[in-house]
Amino acid sequence: MEAFEPERSEVRIPRAALDALAVALSVRTAAMRTWPDGIEWMYALGSWDEPHVEVALMPGGEEVWLRMSTDRSSVAVWTIEQWGEFAGGLPGATPPA
């Protein structure tokens, strides 16, 4: 299987889509789908039929990829530190060890 290398670019994620993901993560209602390339993408449960943000933790745990369901060819890359800052600020988040 050939590795997927997305176009790393600026991805416009509407605030509502990011907020929906944040809510889903904070109450642990994120769903996952595995793409044919083996990457597991998380998204807010119940949002599949509308534009939504998708997030994947890359192997090695050093990068998190974000994309919009409306343009899956463009991916924003966050460092694990950026992701930790975002996820750590959610209600109910546990502090890092």
Side-chain angles (χ1 to χ4, degrees):
M1 182 182 315
E2 194 171 315
F4 172 70
E5 189 61 35
E7 175 186 331
R8 293 175 187 230
S9 59
E10 180 177 324
V11 177
R12 296 187 185 273
I13 298 175
R15 185 76 211 171
L18 195 55
D19 287 347
L21 179 68
V23 169
L25 292 173
S26 69
V27 296
R28 294 176 173 80
T29 58
M32 295 183 82
R33 285 207 177 175
T34 302
W35 247 237
D37 58 11
I39 297 174
E40 288 186 321
W41 290 91
M42 293 185 298
Y43 61 96
L45 188 65
S47 66
W48 189 256
D49 293 327
E50 56 195 53
H52 60 275
V53 67
E54 298 173 345
V55 179
L57 177 63
M58 291 296 99
E62 296 180 19
E63 288 183 344
V64 176
W65 288 1
L66 294 92
R67 67 184 184 186
M68 280 300 296
S69 61
T70 52
D71 180 12
R72 291 189 170 109
S73 65
S74 297
V75 174
V77 178
W78 282 8
T79 64
I80 197 65
E81 290 80 15
Q82 290 170 307
W83 178 255
E85 184 177 310
F86 169 75
L90 300 176
T94 56

